[in-house]
Amino acid sequence: MSGDDVPVLIVGGSLVGLSTAVFLGRLGVPSLVLERHRGTAIHPRAALVNQRAIETYRVAGLQEEIEEAAAREFVQNGAIVSVESLGGKELDWYFHFINEGVEHISPVPRIFVTQIGLEPVLLHAAESLGARVEYASEAASVEQDESGVTVVVRSRDGSEERTVRARYLVAADGAHSPIREGLGIPNLGHGSFSDSITIYFRADVRRLMGDRNLSVVYVFGPHLQGFFRFSLDLQAGFLVVNSTSDDAGARSVRIGEDMSAPTCIAYVREALGDPDIAVEIENVQRWSASAEYAERLREGRIFLAGDSAHVMPPTGGFGGNCGIQDGYDLAWKLAYVLDGRAGEELLATYDAERSPVGAFTTEQAYTRYVLRLDPSLGKDDLVPIVDEAAVELGYRYRSSAIAEPEDDDTWENPREPSGRPGFRAPHVVVDGGSSTLDLFGDDFVVLAGPDGAAWCDAARAAGAANGLDVGVHRVGVDLRDPSADLERLYGVGAEGASLVRPDGFVAWRSPGAGADPAGELAAALACAVCR
Ligand SMILES: Cc1cc2nc3c(=O)[nH]c(=O)nc-3n(C[C@H](O)[C@H](O)[C@H](O)COP(=O)(O)OP(=O)(O)OC[C@H]3O[C@@H](n4cnc5c(N)ncnc54)[C@H](O)[C@@H]3O)c2cc1C
């Protein structure tokens, strides 16, 4: 046995584990990532990476590299449609292009890139930022005490077990999270409700696609329901089959029991709408869609993130994106607590903030699944559909680190952002082309209206008193706001100010001048770091 110590140990080195390692690394926190598999993703799975996720990757300097990886896989900005078959009747266009109507709410687009394309970018970035990623390595046991977590690490190559000691552990170990189960944290929600298969195939679909640029194709055929994604060269793709029915209309509930090549070829041909097209099956996987979220995301020094915290059907493309945001919320809190800039209580706000978002997002994916793919599941327990952009960018955090909310709203339309505490700080084009979002990422930031000089002085003083670097910007002084949107969208007025956290969420704001700016801002900052 040999031992080693790390500030943060991440169990699971897939999309969420690697993203969390990147976010920690850029804040100066090294981590050890343990991943049972031998490398990054070999199945495409997530492809729609939403604007909020790209915003967080942009902070890490990865936007360009991810766009390059995406361009190698897909023509970007395609449509999401439903059809009877690819070559047959079109039924509905959910999006004519995936960035339809959201271009102005963020400096970044929604991007289509699979986990096969994205994870190597994250791996390289995580390692360059000081993370150690160990493949073929699994956490065999996890125990925590008052000062840390002890993990027994077992290598798949048969070498000796060793122990690792970490101050904190992030369980990004997937939907069946052994760590969550070991902690006895129950799942809430709708459980598992489908028997689905994903068929990876090769077929030349260029003629059937024609000149359309379709990112996701939902299929409602006479005998099957599911969805397609295709490769850039239109010579390959995958078909998810969610349900099938016979000629009499009876639903098959056990699709996965026959995953033979002839059956899968028949599914692909039917969904393509060409009974004779040459199809080669590369791989078939059986899985079950579920919509569940953990009752709580923290137990002592262990935090659940990603699919271990919430698992949802792919309708909406929310699952991986939601997990990336778990990592983003957690990373700055761990960084601030580890070096003493914040009180330990800040870590309790992870569950308070992310748990409701996980539940909200899961319910949105479930409603879409039932309405789009399987109405037989029943509509009694569905939440009303909220626009995709609001699910992605419009949720609100509530916790002891955020000023008392002015109202009960739990989400807003990010096309009309309010700048209220708990919401993502809005994107405004400033200083000739860049975004307000580019000001956030490392430190707290105060944005003041043109007559808000008193808040700027107060911010500097409060930062110095708390040992915190605080970025200070005043419209018209060091921040040009050519659209004159900032005061309106941040809700601060000429004499007001907004305090934005390192993760780009508004912690506090004053719509106008304050009676005691120094005292008010000092209190807001102390609250935001739980001191
Ligand atoms: C067909 C399909 C399409 C999808 N499309 C989208 C989409 O468009 N957009 C989107 O956001 N999401 C999408 N999703 C969901 C997305 O793929 C998942 O939410 C995401 O992969 C979850 O990542 P994760 O890192 O939390 O978990 P996982 O990817 O499940 O990773 C967990 C990892 O932990 C490892 N592990 C577990 N236990 C241990 C241990 N003890 N020691 C070491 N390692 C361990 C596992 O080997 C695994 O690699 C889709 C899913 C499917 C199935």
Side-chain angles (χ1 to χ4, degrees):
M1 291 268 222
S2 69
D4 49 346
D5 285 354
V6 284
V8 180
L9 191 142
I10 300 171
V11 179
S14 176
L15 181 62
V16 173
L18 290 174
S19 298
T20 307
V22 169
F23 301 143
L24 284 166
R26 63 167 297 282
L27 294 170
V29 180
S31 59
L32 171 64
V33 182
L34 301 176
E35 171 51 56
R36 185 183 283 145
H37 293 144
R38 296 194 180 277
T40 51
I42 54 167
H43 296 297
R45 294 203 290 164
L48 176 59
V49 185
N50 72 28
Q51 284 172 300
R52 184 60 196 151
I54 299 295
E55 285 174 359
T56 57
Y57 290 143
R58 174 180 167 105
V59 172
L62 299 178
Q63 182 184 348
E64 203 177 317
E65 215 179 321
I66 291 172
E67 285 179 336
E68 285 165 10
R72 287 193 289 273
E73 290 192 326
F74 298 105
V75 178
Q76 294 299 306
N77 215 8
I80 301 185
V81 299
S82 62
V83 298
E84 283 184 354
S85 67
L86 182 66
K89 189 174 163 196
E90 287 173 3
L91 300 173
D92 200 358
W93 287 66
Y94 301 127
F95 290 94
H96 286 85
F97 45 97
I98 58 166
N99 284 294
E100 187 174 13
V102 297
E103 297 92 334
H104 66 289
I105 58 181
S106 171
V108 305
R110 291 172 173 148
I111 288 179
F112 239 71
V113 59
T114 68
Q115 290 180 229
I116 294 174
L118 179 56
E119 288 184 18
V121 177
L122 298 174
L123 170 64
H124 180 250
E127 288 182 327
S128 326
L129 291 163
R132 212 165 85 223
V133 182
E134 282 186 19
Y135 286 106
S137 218
E138 72 176 348
S141 75
V142 173
E143 277 179 30
Q144 59 176 322
D145 53 49
E146 274 181 13
S147 59
V149 186
T150 304
V151 176
V152 173
V153 181
R154 184 183 297 147
S155 164
R156 279 180 63 188
D157 67 14
S159 60
E160 228 182 317
E161 286 184 352
R162 73 185 205 277
T163 55
V164 174
R165 182 85 179 150
R167 295 275 302 279
Y168 298 102
L169 185 145
V170 181
D173 54 347
H176 304 293
S177 175
I179 295 179
R180 187 193 61 237
E181 283 173 15
L183 293 170
I185 300 178
N187 265 339
L188 310 173
H190 304 273
S192 178
F193 45 82
S194 86
D195 181 42
S196 304
I197 57 173
T198 304
I199 306 168
Y200 297 92
F201 64 90
R202 295 200 65 78
D204 181 350
V205 303
R206 286 174 297 177
R207 180 184 59 78
L208 297 166
M209 182 68 89
D211 58 6
R212 297 173 294 179
N213 176 16
L214 307 181
S215 291
V216 182
V217 180
Y218 284 94
V219 181
F220 297 92
H223 299 115
L224 74 82
Q225 290 189 0
F227 71 89
F228 275 122
R229 283 203 322 243
F230 299 103
S231 63
L232 183 64
D233 63 5
L234 299 177
Q235 301 288 328
F238 72 70
L239 172 68
V240 168
V241 184
N242 288 309
S243 63
T244 57
S245 54
D246 62 23
D247 284 335
R251 271 174 74 81
S252 158
V253 288
R254 299 204 180 279
I255 309 162
E257 283 184 354
D258 180 3
M259 305 198 316
S260 63
T263 301
C264 291
I265 288 172
Y267 288 153
V268 174
R269 283 180 170 157
E270 176 179 334
L272 288 174
D274 182 340
D276 302 315
I277 189 167
V279 176
E280 183 191 330
I281 304 297
E282 293 189 317
N283 191 345
V284 189
Q285 288 195 328
R286 184 178 189 178
W287 56 282
S288 176
S290 52
E292 294 176 285
Y293 33 91
E295 184 192 65
R296 59 185 189 282
L297 304 188
R298 178 193 186 198
E299 184 71 43
R301 295 176 168 272
I302 301 176
F303 302 87
L304 308 182
D307 275 17
S308 78
H310 39 69
V311 58
M312 56 197 85
T315 29
F318 299 140
N321 287 292
C322 190
I324 294 163
Q325 295 321 304
D326 294 338
Y328 201 65
D329 185 77
L330 187 54
W332 78 270
K333 292 175 179 173
L334 286 171
Y336 269 60
V337 170
L338 277 165
D339 68 11
R341 279 177 292 174
E344 182 97 19
E345 188 56 23
L346 184 63
L347 296 176
T349 68
Y350 172 66
D351 177 51
E353 294 179 5
R354 290 302 304 172
S355 224
V357 176
F360 167 71
T361 311
T362 305
E363 293 293 354
Q364 286 297 316
Y366 181 68
T367 297
R368 283 166 172 75
Y369 186 91
V370 174
L371 297 182
R372 285 184 193 168
L373 297 178
D374 192 356
S376 75
L377 288 170
K379 299 181 184 171
D380 294 343
D381 56 352
L382 298 186
V383 299
I385 287 232
V386 165
D387 176 76
E388 271 77 8
V391 178
E392 295 166 3
L393 297 148
Y395 51 80
R396 186 181 211 173
Y397 289 158
R398 275 160 199 268
S399 73
S400 59
I402 289 181
E404 196 62 34
E406 300 156 14
D407 52 70
D408 292 335
D409 289 352
T410 55
W411 60 272
E412 69 179 13
N413 178 355
R415 296 177 185 83
E416 296 158 11
S418 63
R420 286 172 290 173
F423 284 108
R424 163 184 163 274
H427 157 61
V428 176
V429 175
V430 287
D431 284 336
S434 66
S435 166
T436 41
L437 271 51
D438 295 330
L439 302 170
F440 316 135
D442 298 313
D443 303 317
F444 281 86
V445 169
V446 167
L447 296 180
D451 302 324
W455 292 119
C456 297
D457 294 341
R460 290 187 195 96
N466 284 285
L468 296 170
D469 289 330
V470 178
V472 178
H473 303 279
R474 180 148 67 102
V475 175
V477 176
D478 68 328
L479 203 59
R480 281 195 309 113
D481 175 21
S483 59
D485 276 342
L486 195 142
E487 289 168 50
R488 181 173 59 82
L489 296 184
Y490 278 73
V492 292
E495 293 181 301
S498 174
L499 174 66
V500 181
R501 309 194 309 187
D503 63 346
F505 276 72
V506 178
W508 164 96
R509 74 174 176 187
S510 174
D516 172 20
E520 289 171 45
L521 201 43
L525 194 57
C527 166
V529 291
C530 294
R531 287 221 297 230

